[in-house]
Amino acid sequence: MTFNEYALTHEPTIRLAAFFGIFALMAVWEVAAPRRARLHTRLRRWTANLGLVVFNTVLVRLVFPFAAVAFATLSTQRGWGLLNNAGLPEPLALLLAVVAMDFAIWLQHVMVHAVPVLWRLHQVHHADPDYDLTTGARFHPIEIILSMLIKFAVIAVLGAPAAAVLVFEVLLNATAMFNHGNVKLPAGIDTGLRLLLVTPDMHRVHHSTDNAEANSNFGFNLSLWDRLFGTYRSAARLAQETMDIGVAGLTGDPRCVSLGGMLVIPFVNPGAGYAIGHGPEASHEAR
């Protein structure tokens, strides 16, 4: 059985096992070594955040008849995309596809911060007043659908192998839970790790209420894109424990910690001042 056949056959098992395994690990870590004090109870926030995850999962299954891995298999069968016509060894094609898809999601993340109407959707993710592993999964359903369409387009253009798509999605879910974790890493480990990967302290800066800080550190997995394109910021102005998390104008709003509230936020809050190029000048230079 080839890598691609294995990915297609065992996708649900692999994804669920990885999700629950990393979720359990991060949840224990957050209890053992939290970085910040919580503003809300886990029961209140997790009910809303995970409820949104369930809602989005059902919606995606209804809107899209097959998953990204199955679409990658279809692309291979039809000969679509660069990698399906490059004749590369399978391991090399897998590696290139994973890195290219990571770059694509970095570009997508920049885009939802740059286009005001897309920022209205994306602010649901940023409006979480606390910051923990469940923050990494709370996105408005419309943004999820747009993200799936972009993902299909990237897979078709790249000709990404099914195994690469599965590896990428597992890595993305795992690193999203990790870098949104309310966990404390020793400074030396954080400094070394963020040379390659996005760490919680690095990505938490991106969730600052300061728009200049929110428009930095866009990476979810690899940190090199922010360094390469000048959007890397090593730290916020305030300490990690005291920096303000969320979206100005929504801080303290109970809709930010309720399922129904998250669904209506894009239609009631314009998120003025946050979209790249549509807010005040950066208050300080990126470090």
Side-chain angles (χ1 to χ4, degrees), residues 177-218:
M177 285 188 278
F178 168 66
N179 59 47
H180 287 90
N182 181 26
V183 295
K184 183 185 298 183
L185 280 172
I189 294 178
D190 181 273
T191 299
L193 193 58
R194 70 167 64 184
L195 293 175
L196 177 64
L197 299 176
V198 177
T199 66
D201 278 9
M202 175 181 167
H203 193 70
R204 197 177 291 107
V205 174
H206 178 72
H207 281 255
S208 169
T209 55
D210 183 299
N211 75 306
E213 293 172 355
N215 288 321
S216 68
N217 297 0
F218 294 99

Side-chain angles (χ1 to χ4, degrees), residues 158-170:
L158 279 178
V165 174
L166 178 58
V167 168
F168 172 72
E169 295 205 323
V170 168

Side-chain angles (χ1 to χ4, degrees), residues 30-42:
E30 287 188 346
V31 172
R35 183 57 149 157
R36 293 168 54 92
R38 290 180 174 275
L39 299 177
H40 300 276
T41 65
R42 285 185 178 85

Side-chain angles (χ1 to χ4, degrees), residues 75-89:
S75 297
T76 299
Q77 292 171 349
R78 301 287 177 87
W80 298 340
L82 299 173
L83 294 175
N84 284 324
N85 294 281
L88 298 175

Side-chain angles (χ1 to χ4, degrees), residues 117 120-124 140 261-270:
V117 67
R120 291 183 72 131
L121 298 171
H122 188 63
Q123 69 179 321
V124 171
H140 196 274
M262 286 188 283
L263 295 176
V264 303
I265 281 175
F267 307 104
V268 298
N269 189 67

Side-chain angles (χ1 to χ4, degrees), residues 3-277:
F3 290 159
N4 290 326
E5 290 170 342
Y6 187 87
L8 184 61
T9 303
H10 299 284
E11 178 205 2
T13 302
I14 294 171
R15 292 191 62 176
L16 284 174
F19 175 81
F20 286 113
I22 299 298
F23 188 98
L25 177 63
M26 292 303 304
V28 171
W29 191 359
E30 287 188 346
V31 172
R35 183 57 149 157
R36 293 168 54 92
R38 290 180 174 275
L39 299 177
H40 300 276
T41 65
R42 285 185 178 85
L43 178 61
R44 184 180 186 187
R45 285 185 53 260
W46 285 19
T47 299
N49 289 356
L50 297 180
L52 186 58
V53 172
V54 172
F55 181 88
N56 287 338
T57 300
V58 173
L59 179 64
V60 166
R61 291 301 182 186
L62 290 174
V63 174
F64 300 98
F66 43 78
V69 171
F71 184 75
T73 301
L74 175 65
S75 297
T76 299
Q77 292 171 349
R78 301 287 177 87
W80 298 340
L82 299 173
L83 294 175
N84 284 324
N85 294 281
L88 298 175
E90 190 172 13
L92 179 58
L94 188 151
L95 176 61
L96 291 175
V98 169
V99 173
M101 285 188 288
D102 192 69
F103 179 53
I105 201 167
W106 182 88
L107 286 173
Q108 178 186 329
H109 196 181
V110 173
M111 179 183 71
V112 297
H113 276 258
V115 180
V117 67
L118 297 181
W119 166 249
R120 291 183 72 131
L121 298 171
H122 188 63
Q123 69 179 321
V124 171
H125 174 65
H126 281 258
D128 196 339
D130 281 312
Y131 185 95
D132 70 10
L133 75 160
T134 65
T135 306
R138 57 173 271 168
F139 293 92
H140 196 274
I142 298 176
E143 182 176 2
I144 290 292
I145 291 175
L146 291 174
S147 181
M148 285 296 296
L149 292 172
I150 292 171
K151 184 185 298 182
F152 284 170
V154 170
I155 290 170
V157 171
L158 279 178
V165 174
L166 178 58
V167 168
F168 172 72
E169 295 205 323
V170 168
L171 282 175
L172 183 63
N173 288 335
T175 54
M177 285 188 278
F178 168 66
N179 59 47
H180 287 90
N182 181 26
V183 295
K184 183 185 298 183
L185 280 172
I189 294 178
D190 181 273
T191 299
L193 193 58
R194 70 167 64 184
L195 293 175
L196 177 64
L197 299 176
V198 177
T199 66
D201 278 9
M202 175 181 167
H203 193 70
R204 197 177 291 107
V205 174
H206 178 72
H207 281 255
S208 169
T209 55
D210 183 299
N211 75 306
E213 293 172 355
N215 288 321
S216 68
N217 297 0
F218 294 99
F220 274 99
N221 186 7
L222 298 176
S223 63
L224 68 92
W225 310 121
D226 285 303
R227 295 178 184 277
L228 187 62
F229 291 97
T231 52
Y232 173 69
R233 187 180 293 266
S234 63
R237 290 181 297 109
L238 301 178
Q240 289 282 342
E241 293 83 359
T242 58
M243 63 182 288
D244 293 324
I245 297 292
V247 175
L250 288 175
T251 53
D253 192 322
R255 289 176 296 196
C256 296
V257 287
S258 74
L259 177 56
M262 286 188 283
L263 295 176
V264 303
I265 281 175
F267 307 104
V268 298
N269 189 67
Y274 275 84
I276 299 172

